[in-house]
Amino acid sequence: MADPVTRVGLVGGGQMGAGILEVNARAGLEVVCVEVSAHAARSAEQRLTASLERAVSRGKLDAEDRDDALARVRFEIDLHALAGCDLVIEAASEDEALKLDLFGRIGRLLDEDAVLVSNTSSIPIVKLGAASGRADRVMGVHFFNPAPVMQLVELIPSLTTSPQTLDAMRSYVSERLGKQPIEATDRAGFVVNSLLVPYLLSAIRMFEAGYASAADIDKGMVMGCGHPMGPLTLSDLIGLDTVRAIGASMYGEFKEPLYSPPPLLDRMVEAGLLGKKAGHGFFRYADA
Ligand code: 3HC
Protein backbone atom coordinates (compact mmCIF):
# COMPACT_ATOMS: atom_id res chain seq x y z
CA MET A 1 0.00 0.00 0.00
CA ALA A 2 1.71 3.17 -1.22
CA ASP A 3 -0.21 5.94 0.57
CA PRO A 4 -1.65 6.29 4.07
CA VAL A 5 -5.15 4.92 4.63
CA THR A 6 -7.94 7.43 3.89
CA ARG A 7 -10.93 5.33 2.87
CA VAL A 8 -11.86 2.33 5.00
CA GLY A 9 -14.39 -0.42 4.34
CA LEU A 10 -15.86 -2.35 7.23
CA VAL A 11 -17.67 -5.64 6.77
CA GLY A 12 -20.08 -6.27 9.67
CA GLY A 13 -21.52 -3.63 11.98
CA GLY A 14 -22.25 -5.87 14.98
CA GLN A 15 -20.91 -5.26 18.46
CA MET A 16 -17.23 -5.24 17.46
CA GLY A 17 -17.84 -3.86 13.96
CA ALA A 18 -19.76 -0.83 15.24
CA GLY A 19 -16.98 -0.10 17.72
CA ILE A 20 -14.32 -0.32 14.99
CA LEU A 21 -16.50 1.90 12.80
CA GLU A 22 -16.62 4.52 15.57
CA VAL A 23 -12.85 4.41 16.10
CA ASN A 24 -12.22 5.01 12.37
CA ALA A 25 -14.86 7.71 11.92
CA ARG A 26 -13.61 9.58 15.00
CA ALA A 27 -10.06 9.37 13.61
CA GLY A 28 -11.23 11.35 10.55
CA LEU A 29 -11.44 8.46 8.07
CA GLU A 30 -14.22 7.97 5.52
CA VAL A 31 -15.85 4.60 6.27
CA VAL A 32 -18.29 2.48 4.31
CA CYS A 33 -19.91 -0.22 6.45
CA VAL A 34 -21.39 -3.19 4.61
CA GLU A 35 -24.03 -5.30 6.33
CA VAL A 36 -26.05 -8.31 5.19
CA SER A 37 -29.46 -6.59 5.10
CA ALA A 38 -31.11 -3.19 5.42
CA HIS A 39 -32.29 -4.23 8.89
CA ALA A 40 -28.75 -5.15 10.01
CA ALA A 41 -27.41 -1.90 8.53
CA ARG A 42 -30.00 0.09 10.52
CA SER A 43 -28.98 -1.75 13.71
CA ALA A 44 -25.31 -0.94 13.02
CA GLU A 45 -26.20 2.72 12.52
CA GLN A 46 -28.18 2.74 15.76
CA ARG A 47 -25.23 1.20 17.66
CA LEU A 48 -22.88 3.84 16.29
CA THR A 49 -25.27 6.72 16.99
CA ALA A 50 -25.98 5.52 20.55
CA SER A 51 -22.28 5.18 21.34
CA LEU A 52 -21.46 8.65 19.94
CA GLU A 53 -24.42 10.08 21.87
CA ARG A 54 -23.09 8.49 25.04
CA ALA A 55 -19.67 10.09 24.41
CA VAL A 56 -21.36 13.49 23.94
CA SER A 57 -23.44 13.12 27.09
CA ARG A 58 -20.30 12.24 29.09
CA GLY A 59 -18.54 15.35 27.78
CA LYS A 60 -15.98 13.27 25.81
CA LEU A 61 -17.04 14.49 22.37
CA ASP A 62 -18.68 17.71 21.23
CA ALA A 63 -21.83 17.71 19.13
CA GLU A 64 -20.01 19.06 16.05
CA ASP A 65 -17.42 16.24 16.15
CA ARG A 66 -20.25 13.71 16.54
CA ASP A 67 -21.99 15.13 13.45
CA ASP A 68 -18.71 15.14 11.50
CA ALA A 69 -18.03 11.51 12.48
CA LEU A 70 -21.55 10.47 11.40
CA ALA A 71 -21.18 12.35 8.11
CA ARG A 72 -18.05 10.31 7.30
CA VAL A 73 -19.93 6.98 7.57
CA ARG A 74 -22.05 5.32 4.91
CA PHE A 75 -24.04 2.08 5.32
CA GLU A 76 -24.50 -0.32 2.39
CA ILE A 77 -25.74 -3.87 1.84
CA ASP A 78 -23.66 -4.82 -1.22
CA LEU A 79 -19.98 -5.79 -1.01
CA HIS A 80 -19.34 -3.90 -4.27
CA ALA A 81 -19.56 -0.69 -2.21
CA LEU A 82 -16.06 -1.63 -0.92
CA ALA A 83 -14.46 -0.97 -4.33
CA GLY A 84 -12.02 1.94 -4.07
CA CYS A 85 -11.25 1.45 -0.33
CA ASP A 86 -7.53 1.45 0.61
CA LEU A 87 -8.23 -0.78 3.59
CA VAL A 88 -11.06 -3.25 4.27
CA ILE A 89 -11.59 -4.62 7.77
CA GLU A 90 -13.68 -7.78 8.00
CA ALA A 91 -15.55 -7.96 11.34
CA ALA A 92 -18.19 -10.60 10.55
CA SER A 93 -19.14 -13.44 12.93
CA GLU A 94 -16.38 -15.78 14.08
CA ASP A 95 -17.27 -18.43 11.46
CA GLU A 96 -14.46 -19.80 9.29
CA ALA A 97 -16.60 -20.77 6.26
CA LEU A 98 -18.27 -17.35 6.22
CA LYS A 99 -14.95 -15.52 6.45
CA LEU A 100 -13.33 -17.64 3.71
CA ASP A 101 -16.25 -16.86 1.41
CA LEU A 102 -16.05 -13.14 2.20
CA PHE A 103 -12.29 -13.00 1.62
CA GLY A 104 -12.74 -14.69 -1.79
CA ARG A 105 -15.40 -12.19 -2.85
CA ILE A 106 -13.80 -9.04 -1.39
CA GLY A 107 -10.31 -9.93 -2.65
CA ARG A 108 -11.59 -9.72 -6.26
CA LEU A 109 -13.22 -6.29 -5.75
CA LEU A 110 -10.32 -4.31 -4.38
CA ASP A 111 -7.67 -2.24 -6.15
CA GLU A 112 -4.28 -3.87 -6.62
CA ASP A 113 -2.57 -2.17 -3.65
CA ALA A 114 -5.48 -2.22 -1.16
CA VAL A 115 -5.07 -4.15 2.10
CA LEU A 116 -7.66 -6.61 3.42
CA VAL A 117 -7.59 -7.51 7.13
CA SER A 118 -9.65 -9.59 9.53
CA ASN A 119 -10.67 -8.79 13.09
CA THR A 120 -10.76 -12.53 13.78
CA SER A 121 -9.41 -13.66 17.11
CA SER A 122 -8.70 -17.25 16.26
CA ILE A 123 -9.16 -18.19 12.58
CA PRO A 124 -5.87 -18.79 10.68
CA ILE A 125 -4.90 -15.64 8.77
CA VAL A 126 -2.96 -17.69 6.23
CA LYS A 127 -6.20 -19.41 5.13
CA LEU A 128 -7.97 -16.06 4.70
CA GLY A 129 -5.01 -14.81 2.67
CA ALA A 130 -5.12 -17.85 0.38
CA ALA A 131 -8.89 -17.45 -0.14
CA SER A 132 -8.48 -13.77 -1.06
CA GLY A 133 -6.07 -14.26 -3.99
CA ARG A 134 -3.90 -11.43 -2.55
CA ALA A 135 -2.19 -13.24 0.34
CA ASP A 136 0.68 -10.73 0.65
CA ARG A 137 -1.84 -7.92 1.36
CA VAL A 138 -3.86 -9.79 3.99
CA MET A 139 -3.26 -9.94 7.75
CA GLY A 140 -5.04 -9.92 11.11
CA VAL A 141 -5.83 -6.63 12.88
CA HIS A 142 -7.58 -7.60 16.11
CA PHE A 143 -9.43 -4.97 18.18
CA PHE A 144 -10.76 -5.43 21.73
CA ASN A 145 -14.23 -4.88 23.10
CA PRO A 146 -15.34 -2.12 23.63
CA ALA A 147 -13.18 -0.93 20.70
CA PRO A 148 -13.59 2.81 21.39
CA VAL A 149 -12.19 2.28 24.91
CA MET A 150 -9.60 -0.50 24.69
CA GLN A 151 -6.22 0.80 23.58
CA LEU A 152 -4.72 -2.47 22.34
CA VAL A 153 -4.75 -3.80 18.77
CA GLU A 154 -3.04 -7.10 17.89
CA LEU A 155 -1.28 -7.21 14.50
CA ILE A 156 -1.00 -10.70 13.03
CA PRO A 157 0.98 -11.15 9.83
CA SER A 158 0.71 -14.64 8.32
CA LEU A 159 3.51 -16.59 6.64
CA THR A 160 2.48 -14.93 3.36
CA THR A 161 1.94 -11.30 4.51
CA SER A 162 4.46 -8.87 3.01
CA PRO A 163 6.63 -6.66 5.28
CA GLN A 164 5.09 -3.59 3.52
CA THR A 165 1.59 -4.65 4.56
CA LEU A 166 2.67 -5.09 8.18
CA ASP A 167 4.40 -1.66 8.13
CA ALA A 168 1.30 -0.02 6.67
CA MET A 169 -0.94 -1.53 9.36
CA ARG A 170 1.51 -0.61 12.12
CA SER A 171 1.34 3.06 11.07
CA TYR A 172 -2.43 2.97 10.54
CA VAL A 173 -3.05 1.58 14.04
CA SER A 174 -0.57 3.71 15.96
CA GLU A 175 -0.47 6.97 13.99
CA ARG A 176 -3.93 7.14 12.44
CA LEU A 177 -6.03 5.50 15.18
CA GLY A 178 -3.77 6.37 18.14
CA LYS A 179 -3.94 2.78 19.47
CA GLN A 180 -1.17 0.58 20.90
CA PRO A 181 -0.18 -2.33 18.63
CA ILE A 182 1.44 -5.58 19.65
CA GLU A 183 2.51 -8.24 17.15
CA ALA A 184 1.67 -11.93 17.34
CA THR A 185 2.23 -15.04 15.30
CA ASP A 186 -0.60 -16.54 13.26
CA ARG A 187 -1.74 -19.22 15.72
CA ALA A 188 -5.27 -19.47 17.14
CA GLY A 189 -5.84 -17.04 20.03
CA PHE A 190 -2.80 -14.81 19.27
CA VAL A 191 -1.47 -13.29 22.54
CA VAL A 192 -4.51 -12.05 24.46
CA ASN A 193 -7.10 -14.75 23.81
CA SER A 194 -4.50 -17.50 24.38
CA LEU A 195 -4.31 -16.23 27.96
CA LEU A 196 -7.85 -14.91 28.41
CA VAL A 197 -10.02 -17.69 26.96
CA PRO A 198 -8.81 -20.57 29.20
CA TYR A 199 -9.40 -18.27 32.18
CA LEU A 200 -12.97 -17.45 31.06
CA LEU A 201 -13.72 -21.12 30.34
CA SER A 202 -12.33 -22.12 33.76
CA ALA A 203 -14.70 -19.65 35.43
CA ILE A 204 -17.62 -21.11 33.45
CA ARG A 205 -16.58 -24.65 34.52
CA MET A 206 -16.36 -23.48 38.13
CA PHE A 207 -19.91 -22.10 37.94
CA GLU A 208 -21.13 -25.21 36.08
CA ALA A 209 -19.75 -27.44 38.88
CA GLY A 210 -21.66 -25.45 41.51
CA TYR A 211 -18.40 -24.47 43.16
CA ALA A 212 -19.51 -20.84 43.73
CA SER A 213 -22.25 -18.47 42.54
CA ALA A 214 -21.76 -16.39 39.38
CA ALA A 215 -21.76 -13.21 41.47
CA ASP A 216 -19.13 -14.56 43.87
CA ILE A 217 -16.84 -15.84 41.09
CA ASP A 218 -16.88 -12.37 39.55
CA LYS A 219 -16.53 -10.61 42.90
CA GLY A 220 -13.51 -12.81 43.62
CA MET A 221 -11.62 -11.57 40.57
CA VAL A 222 -12.76 -7.93 40.80
CA MET A 223 -12.14 -7.49 44.53
CA GLY A 224 -9.32 -10.03 44.86
CA CYS A 225 -7.30 -9.27 41.74
CA GLY A 226 -8.37 -5.76 40.73
CA HIS A 227 -9.84 -6.77 37.36
CA PRO A 228 -12.29 -4.19 35.94
CA MET A 229 -14.95 -6.91 35.59
CA GLY A 230 -15.23 -10.57 36.57
CA PRO A 231 -14.84 -13.43 34.06
CA LEU A 232 -18.57 -14.18 33.73
CA THR A 233 -19.49 -10.52 33.18
CA LEU A 234 -16.65 -10.27 30.67
CA SER A 235 -17.88 -13.42 28.88
CA ASP A 236 -21.35 -11.82 28.71
CA LEU A 237 -19.79 -8.63 27.29
CA ILE A 238 -17.78 -10.48 24.61
CA GLY A 239 -20.84 -12.65 23.75
CA LEU A 240 -21.11 -16.29 24.75
CA ASP A 241 -21.36 -17.41 21.11
CA THR A 242 -18.06 -15.63 20.41
CA VAL A 243 -16.37 -17.08 23.52
CA ARG A 244 -17.51 -20.55 22.45
CA ALA A 245 -16.34 -20.05 18.85
CA ILE A 246 -12.89 -18.84 19.94
CA GLY A 247 -12.51 -21.71 22.43
CA ALA A 248 -13.53 -24.22 19.73
CA SER A 249 -10.99 -22.81 17.23
CA MET A 250 -8.22 -22.87 19.82
CA TYR A 251 -9.14 -26.42 20.88
CA GLY A 252 -9.20 -27.46 17.20
CA GLU A 253 -5.66 -26.14 16.75
CA PHE A 254 -3.98 -27.32 19.97
CA LYS A 255 -6.25 -30.09 21.41
CA GLU A 256 -5.66 -28.51 24.81
CA PRO A 257 -8.60 -29.47 27.12
CA LEU A 258 -8.55 -26.05 28.85
CA TYR A 259 -9.59 -24.48 25.51
CA SER A 260 -12.57 -26.80 25.03
CA PRO A 261 -15.97 -25.07 25.56
CA PRO A 262 -17.76 -26.65 28.56
CA PRO A 263 -21.27 -28.16 28.05
CA LEU A 264 -22.96 -25.32 29.97
CA LEU A 265 -21.56 -22.79 27.48
CA ASP A 266 -22.87 -24.91 24.58
CA ARG A 267 -26.32 -25.12 26.17
CA MET A 268 -26.49 -21.39 26.89
CA VAL A 269 -25.59 -20.54 23.29
CA GLU A 270 -28.14 -23.07 22.00
CA ALA A 271 -30.77 -21.43 24.26
CA GLY A 272 -29.95 -17.96 22.89
CA LEU A 273 -28.52 -16.79 26.21
CA LEU A 274 -25.70 -14.97 24.44
CA GLY A 275 -24.82 -12.43 27.13
CA LYS A 276 -25.26 -8.67 27.24
CA LYS A 277 -26.31 -8.28 23.59
CA ALA A 278 -29.22 -10.71 24.18
CA GLY A 279 -30.16 -9.19 27.56
CA HIS A 280 -29.35 -12.47 29.32
CA GLY A 281 -26.27 -14.59 29.85
CA PHE A 282 -24.72 -15.39 33.22
CA PHE A 283 -26.45 -12.18 34.35
CA ARG A 284 -29.48 -10.20 33.16
CA TYR A 285 -29.21 -6.81 31.42
CA ALA A 286 -32.05 -4.32 31.35
CA ASP A 287 -30.64 -2.04 28.63
CA ALA A 288 -29.77 -4.61 25.89
N1 3HC B 1 -18.44 1.95 24.07
C1 3HC B 1 -17.78 3.11 24.24
N2 3HC B 1 -17.32 3.53 25.43
C2 3HC B 1 -17.59 2.76 26.50
C3 3HC B 1 -18.27 1.54 26.41
C4 3HC B 1 -18.72 1.15 25.11
N3 3HC B 1 -19.38 0.00 24.90
N4 3HC B 1 -18.36 0.99 27.64
C5 3HC B 1 -17.73 1.84 28.48
N5 3HC B 1 -17.26 2.89 27.80
C6 3HC B 1 -16.46 4.00 28.31
C7 3HC B 1 -17.28 4.91 29.16
O1 3HC B 1 -17.87 5.94 28.38
C8 3HC B 1 -16.24 5.45 30.12
O2 3HC B 1 -15.49 6.49 29.49
P1 3HC B 1 -14.93 7.72 30.34
O3 3HC B 1 -14.20 7.15 31.52
O4 3HC B 1 -14.02 8.39 29.35
O5 3HC B 1 -16.14 8.51 30.71
C9 3HC B 1 -15.28 4.29 30.34
O6 3HC B 1 -15.47 3.44 29.20
C10 3HC B 1 -15.61 3.54 31.59
O7 3HC B 1 -16.96 3.13 31.51
P2 3HC B 1 -17.95 2.96 32.75
O8 3HC B 1 -17.58 3.95 33.81
O9 3HC B 1 -19.36 2.96 32.26
O10 3HC B 1 -17.74 1.50 33.21
P3 3HC B 1 -16.44 0.80 33.75
O11 3HC B 1 -15.55 1.72 34.48
O12 3HC B 1 -16.96 -0.42 34.40
O13 3HC B 1 -15.66 0.37 32.42
C11 3HC B 1 -15.16 -1.18 30.73
C12 3HC B 1 -16.26 -0.41 31.43
C13 3HC B 1 -14.26 -0.22 29.97
C14 3HC B 1 -15.85 -2.12 29.73
C15 3HC B 1 -14.31 -1.94 31.81
O14 3HC B 1 -15.18 -2.66 32.66
C16 3HC B 1 -13.31 -2.87 31.21
O15 3HC B 1 -12.22 -2.49 30.82
N6 3HC B 1 -13.66 -4.19 31.16
C17 3HC B 1 -12.81 -5.21 30.59
C18 3HC B 1 -13.01 -5.22 29.08
C19 3HC B 1 -12.13 -6.25 28.43
O16 3HC B 1 -11.40 -7.03 29.04
N7 3HC B 1 -12.19 -6.26 27.08
C20 3HC B 1 -11.45 -7.21 26.31
C21 3HC B 1 -12.35 -8.36 25.95
S1 3HC B 1 -11.50 -9.57 25.00
C22 3HC B 1 -11.77 -9.11 23.41
O17 3HC B 1 -12.44 -8.14 23.11
C23 3HC B 1 -11.14 -9.97 22.38
C24 3HC B 1 -12.18 -10.69 21.57
O18 3HC B 1 -11.53 -11.41 20.57
C25 3HC B 1 -12.99 -11.62 22.40
Side-chain angles (χ1 to χ4, degrees):
M1 198 162 67
D3 299 313
V5 174
T6 56
R7 191 152 176 250
V8 176
L10 185 76
V11 180
Q15 188 175 230
M16 277 308 292
I20 298 169
L21 183 61
E22 179 176 340
V23 169
N24 279 277
R26 287 177 68 172
L29 293 156
E30 298 286 323
V31 197
V32 53
C33 173
V34 179
E35 257 296 357
V36 285
S37 65
H39 175 73
R42 263 194 308 280
S43 301
E45 188 167 7
Q46 280 160 5
R47 271 185 212 102
L48 173 66
T49 310
S51 183
L52 289 171
E53 216 47 71
R54 175 185 160 130
V56 171
S57 67
R58 283 179 163 247
K60 300 286 164 191
L61 184 72
D62 60 41
E64 197 180 325
D65 289 340
R66 171 202 57 202
D67 294 345
D68 288 349
L70 284 170
R72 282 191 283 272
V73 178
R74 194 156 59 85
F75 293 89
E76 299 285 348
I77 55 167
D78 183 343
L79 287 175
H80 286 90
L82 298 170
C85 288
D86 330 285
L87 168 65
V88 171
I89 305 170
E90 171 277 313
S93 311
E94 199 66 358
D95 173 331
E96 185 169 321
L98 170 74
K99 287 187 194 278
L100 289 172
D101 175 57
L102 281 171
F103 270 67
R105 289 157 65 200
I106 300 167
R108 286 194 291 274
L109 290 171
L110 299 182
D111 293 344
E112 190 58 28
D113 56 358
V115 169
L116 172 57
V117 303
S118 178
N119 181 54
T120 182
S121 40
S122 57
I123 292 168
I125 306 298
V126 78
K127 285 195 189 174
L128 301 177
S132 74
R134 51 169 61 234
D136 56 326
R137 286 147 290 155
V138 166
M139 59 179 275
V141 174
H142 181 217
F143 291 79
F144 292 82
N145 192 1
V149 182
M150 306 314 278
Q151 282 304 300
L152 188 77
V153 176
E154 287 180 317
L155 298 178
I156 308 99
S158 80
L159 288 174
T160 49
T161 305
S162 72
Q164 292 82 353
T165 301
L166 176 58
D167 283 349
M169 289 302 96
R170 221 186 263 125
S171 338
Y172 157 72
V173 165
S174 54
E175 286 155 34
R176 204 61 224 247
L177 302 185
K179 301 262 186 203
Q180 296 289 329
I182 59 173
E183 287 169 33
T185 305
D186 182 18
R187 39 162 266 175
F190 315 136
V191 171
V192 174
N193 282 339
S194 292
L195 297 170
L196 178 66
V197 170
Y199 157 68
L200 299 180
L201 297 178
S202 298
I204 296 170
R205 276 189 206 97
M206 186 180 266
F207 174 65
E208 182 177 42
Y211 195 83
S213 70
D216 279 357
I217 291 169
D218 273 17
K219 189 171 174 182
M221 296 310 290
V222 172
M223 309 292 290
C225 293
H227 288 197
M229 49 177 51
L232 300 177
T233 305
L234 180 54
S235 298
D236 276 354
L237 174 74
I238 293 168
L240 300 190
D241 48 345
T242 302
V243 174
R244 178 170 76 160
I246 301 170
S249 291
M250 289 170 59
Y251 181 74
E253 184 141 311
F254 299 106
K255 308 294 181 287
E256 160 56 58
L258 282 172
Y259 299 156
S260 172
L264 175 64
L265 181 59
D266 289 337
R267 294 298 168 274
M268 289 179 76
V269 172
E270 283 150 11
L273 304 177
L274 303 182
K276 190 163 189 270
K277 64 188 170 187
H280 194 174
F282 291 102
F283 302 99
R284 285 186 181 272
Y285 302 86
D287 59 346

